[in-house]
């Protein structure tokens, strides 16, 4: 692409009149089969009419030869003014390469842009932009046709990390973040692997769609799966296997994005005073977040892993986990093994999370996001990211389960009694509502063993003896109620 544009630029006689630079994804050196080719044509302060005519003809020729061009034509002062007023333009100019024409105007622009850039404002702008993008894509990556670029856990989340890092002068690739101590080697390997999977998916999707298509739409999921060498099995279609690979890669990106952005924030805001408040022997509050008192607390006291979530659940005034805590928690997952699961202290802590009067849904979602829930409950770990291609489900199995628990929890909150008065009255009469929440958590967990969607035309399914006993202890239950529902 560089060669084609440079030849076209010289043929139009623009080589000494203006500067051609690659920006955006093209400036980053990444072009997918259906990507736009983003360019900046940098004009002198007072371009002649001849220069303007040649530039117009150059742009027309690029469209004529079939290129999808995203172009801007500006002087240096116009670039600086637009970048100051629009973070999207500032980001676009952050990634750039010289393609053709005089180099000196381009170097001067880069120098002035760097001097003008405010890393703090850029960080806040990009994190706000990411939050708005996540909301626009339903706030979860687990929808039926995820956008490989824009959905939470997509390629754009990786771009955001590197943009902020580059704007702060901390490096523009994963290896540079490792050298700076912002990213560990293990994290870098994981993030590179997930990035490679997402990029390969996007390439194959563009090739099969024969156009720019960033959503893994139903019509193409099976074709992409076959291109990846996946085949249908009795338990899972090839497309469902592909989607599980995608969702797991997206979850890894989501997890590391949640770790790296707070760490970058800590580097950029290093001058902000550190305000701490004692909570207990393991944790303290750090600038409105839950932090660990010792970096190796989870290695020395593995039971503190679940206690961290319970502590945050009991302190709603805290906004989340502090950066050091997030990293320690994420790496501490390996401490959760059979011995950990059988420890009565850990079992009691897990059950207490379900008994707390508030915050259950947020806590379970956090545990799922950071891989703790699937590690503690291996059966749950098997259904993380598992798609169900049927008429009944619009989420992956893990998201579907957490939505069910959320709805059950909603019945118990007085503010929502008006929505389903009868159900709210029922659940508030239960002596042990946490048993019902556990039933919700486990109701679809057999999907991880290859269980298929039940045949609704078959006789009414009957609950097991264990389920019957559980229900009888939880509420005034009868077999007739099961059949009627």
């Amino acid at each position: 692409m560089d060669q084609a544009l440079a030849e076209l630029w010289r043929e139009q006689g623009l080589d000494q009149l203006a500067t051609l630079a690659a920006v955006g994804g093209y400036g980053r050196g990444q072009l997918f089969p259906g990507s736009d080719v983003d360019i900046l044509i940098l004009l002198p302060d007072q371009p002649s009419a001849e220069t303007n005519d040649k530039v117009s003809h150059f742009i027309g020729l690029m469209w004529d030869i079939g290129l999808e061009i995203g172009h801007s034509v500006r002087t240096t002062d116009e670039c600086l003014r637009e970048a100051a007023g629009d973070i999207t333009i500032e980001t676009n100019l952050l990634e750039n390469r010289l393609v053709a024409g005089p180099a000196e105007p381009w170097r001067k622009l880069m120098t002035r842009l760097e001097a003008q850039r405010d890393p703090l404002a850029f960080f806040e702008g990009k994190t706000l932009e990411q939050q708005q993008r996540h909301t626009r894509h339903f706030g979860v990556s687990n929808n039926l046709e995820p956008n490989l670029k824009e959905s939470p856990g997509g390629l754009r989340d990786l771009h955001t990390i590197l943009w902020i890092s580059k704007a702060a002068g901390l490096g523009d690739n994963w290896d540079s973040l490792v050298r700076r101590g912002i990213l560990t080697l293990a994290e870098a390997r994981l993030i590179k692997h997930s990035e490679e999977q997402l990029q390969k998916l996007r390439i194959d999707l563009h090739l099969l769609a024969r156009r720019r298509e960033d959503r893994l739409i139903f019509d193409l999921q099976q074709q992409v799966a076959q291109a990846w060498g996946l085949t249908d099995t009795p338990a899972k279609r090839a497309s469902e296997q592909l989607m599980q690979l995608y969702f797991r890669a997206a979850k890894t990106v989501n997890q590391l994005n949640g770790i790296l952005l707070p760490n970058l924030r800590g580097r950029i805001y290093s001058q902000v005073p550190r305000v701490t408040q004692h909570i207990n022997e393991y944790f303290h509050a750090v600038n409105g977040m839950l932090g660990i008192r010792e970096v190796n607390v989870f290695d020395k006291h593995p039971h503190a892993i679940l206690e961290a979530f319970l502590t945050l659940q009991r302190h709603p005034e805290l906004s989340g986990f502090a950066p050091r805590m997030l990293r320690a928690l994420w790496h501490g997952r390996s401490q959760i093994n059979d011995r950990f699961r059988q420890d009565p202290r850990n079992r009691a802590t897990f059950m207490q999370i379900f008994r707390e009067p508030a915050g259950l849904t947020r806590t379970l979602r956090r545990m799922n996001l950071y891989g703790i829930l699937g590690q503690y409950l291996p059966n749950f770990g098997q259904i993380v990211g598992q798609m169900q291609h049927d008429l009944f489900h619009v989420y992956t199995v893990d998201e579907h389960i957490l939505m069910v628990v959320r709805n059950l929890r909603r019945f118990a909150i007085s503010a929502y009694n008006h929505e389903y008065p009868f159900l709210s009255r029922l659940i508030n009469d239960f002596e042990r509502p946490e048993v019902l929440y556990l039933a919700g958590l486990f109701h679809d967990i057999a999907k991880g063993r290859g269980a298929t969607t039940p045949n609704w035309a078959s006789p009414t399914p009957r609950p097991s003896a264990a389920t019957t006993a559980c229900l009888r202890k939880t509420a005034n239950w009868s077999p007739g109620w099961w059949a009627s529902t």
Side-chain angles (χ1 to χ4, degrees):
M1 188 63 65
D2 286 355
Q3 182 180 351
L5 293 186
E7 287 181 4
L8 199 61
W9 187 259
R10 285 191 293 271
E11 286 176 5
Q12 301 308 305
L14 284 164
D15 212 31
Q16 299 303 317
L17 299 178
T19 300
L20 177 64
V23 295
Y26 180 37
R28 187 167 59 244
Q30 289 184 339
L31 274 182
F32 291 83
S35 289
D36 290 344
V37 180
D38 295 325
I39 60 170
L40 166 67
I41 298 175
L42 187 60
L43 297 176
D45 291 338
Q46 294 181 334
S48 65
E50 178 189 9
T51 299
N52 288 331
D53 288 343
K54 288 185 175 182
V55 167
S56 297
H57 193 238
F58 170 77
I59 293 170
L61 283 174
M62 286 191 293
W63 284 105
D64 289 344
I65 64 175
L67 299 181
E68 294 286 337
I69 295 295
H71 66 278
S72 55
V73 183
R74 299 189 180 104
T75 64
T76 298
D77 288 341
E78 288 171 343
C79 286
L80 293 165
R81 186 167 59 250
E82 293 294 328
D86 190 332
I87 195 168
T88 303
I89 295 174
E90 183 178 8
T91 307
N92 205 39
L93 292 171
L94 186 65
E95 299 178 303
N96 60 80
R97 293 179 299 108
L98 179 66
V99 176
E104 191 57 29
W106 171 73
R107 291 196 192 96
K108 287 182 178 178
L109 173 62
M110 295 306 108
T111 300
R112 292 180 65 183
L113 280 170
E114 187 173 350
Q116 174 181 282
R117 189 175 300 120
D118 180 355
L120 298 180
F122 189 83
F123 177 88
E124 295 297 342
K126 296 313 290 185
T127 51
L128 175 61
E129 187 180 82
Q130 177 173 285
Q131 291 167 6
Q132 292 171 339
R133 175 168 49 80
H134 286 187
T135 301
R136 196 163 58 248
H137 289 273
F138 313 112
V140 292
S141 57
N142 304 318
N143 53 62
L144 293 173
E145 297 179 317
N147 189 304
L148 298 175
K149 183 179 177 184
E150 302 289 343
S151 287
L155 290 167
R156 188 59 87 207
D157 283 2
L158 297 176
H159 298 158
T160 298
I161 295 169
L162 293 178
W163 287 333
I164 291 172
S165 174
K166 185 173 182 178
L170 299 173
D172 59 357
N173 57 63
W174 307 121
D175 291 335
S176 63
L177 291 183
V178 171
R179 289 192 295 271
R180 293 271 186 171
I182 297 170
L183 193 64
T184 68
L185 279 171
E187 291 166 351
R189 283 194 295 269
L190 275 173
I191 210 166
K192 286 177 181 179
H193 175 70
S194 298
E195 181 180 40
E196 184 179 344
Q197 281 195 306
L198 293 172
Q199 288 175 343
K200 185 176 184 299
L201 271 174
R202 192 179 180 208
I203 290 168
D204 290 340
L205 189 57
H206 283 195
L207 292 174
L208 289 166
R210 297 179 180 273
R211 65 180 187 278
R212 177 178 177 172
E213 176 57 81
D214 291 333
R215 291 178 307 133
L216 262 174
I217 58 176
F218 279 131
D219 293 349
L220 294 174
Q221 286 176 12
Q222 188 73 4
Q223 294 179 52
V224 175
Q226 290 168 352
W228 277 46
L230 302 172
T231 56
D232 292 346
T233 69
K236 288 184 186 178
R237 299 181 182 92
S239 59
E240 291 173 336
Q241 297 171 50
L242 177 84
M243 296 305 289
Q244 188 160 25
L245 289 172
Y246 159 74
F247 284 124
R248 287 183 171 171
K251 181 175 283 291
T252 298
V253 171
N254 222 347
Q255 290 169 344
L256 290 170
N257 181 273
I259 291 171
L260 289 172
L261 285 183
N263 274 279
L264 286 170
R265 182 186 182 92
R267 292 295 182 98
I268 296 170
Y269 284 81
S270 58
Q271 302 304 316
V272 176
R274 191 169 183 265
V275 180
T276 62
Q277 181 180 356
H278 173 81
I279 292 180
N280 59 35
E281 59 180 313
Y282 304 131
F283 311 118
H284 56 194
V286 184
N287 293 347
M289 295 181 287
L290 185 67
I292 47 176
R293 301 175 69 85
E294 298 179 23
V295 71
N296 60 346
V297 66
F298 298 131
D299 295 326
K300 294 168 61 177
H301 309 284
H303 60 86
I305 294 174
L306 293 182
E307 290 180 18
F309 290 93
L310 179 59
T311 303
L312 187 59
Q313 186 178 6
R314 288 175 169 174
H315 289 269
E317 73 278 7
L318 300 177
S319 61
F321 293 123
R324 193 172 68 156
M325 162 78 111
L326 273 176
R327 171 162 280 140
L329 192 61
W330 197 71
H331 288 282
R333 294 175 301 173
S334 60
Q335 299 289 333
I336 303 177
N337 50 29
D338 286 341
R339 182 179 177 182
F340 181 99
R341 299 181 193 103
Q342 292 166 11
D343 188 330
R345 181 172 184 174
N346 295 327
R347 292 184 173 190
T349 303
F350 186 72
M351 284 305 303
Q352 189 57 44
I353 288 171
F354 285 79
R355 294 189 180 107
E356 288 295 305
L360 174 61
T361 302
R362 285 194 302 273
T363 302
L364 289 178
R365 288 195 182 282
R366 278 197 178 102
M367 292 175 72
N368 190 35
L369 174 61
Y370 296 114
I372 302 298
L373 190 57
Q375 191 77 7
Y376 184 68
L377 301 175
N379 288 340
F380 189 91
Q382 292 178 19
I383 51 88
V384 170
Q386 182 172 329
M387 179 54 76
Q388 306 173 89
H389 284 163
D390 54 39
L391 298 177
F392 307 103
H393 301 92
V394 294
Y395 297 101
T396 55
V397 183
D398 58 320
E399 271 299 315
H400 163 71
I401 285 174
L402 294 179
M403 291 288 284
V404 168
V405 176
R406 186 206 71 165
N407 291 339
L408 287 171
R409 184 76 190 102
R410 196 177 176 94
F411 296 148
I413 299 174
S414 59
Y416 302 110
N417 285 353
H418 64 282
E419 294 181 346
Y420 297 97
F422 176 65
L423 297 180
S424 297
R425 191 165 65 252
L426 273 180
I427 201 169
N428 284 314
D429 289 338
F430 291 173
E431 292 182 8
R432 299 175 61 202
E434 68 272 14
V435 178
L436 189 61
Y437 304 146
L438 280 175
L441 185 68
F442 278 86
H443 87 277
D444 230 2
I445 211 163
K447 294 283 177 64
R449 299 202 302 267
T452 57
T453 302
N455 178 6
W456 301 111
S458 65
T460 304
R462 305 299 297 176
S464 67
T467 304
T468 301
C470 176
L471 287 167
R472 281 186 173 136
K473 288 179 182 178
T474 308
N476 293 323
W477 176 86
S478 68
W481 173 83
W482 179 276
S484 68
T485 55

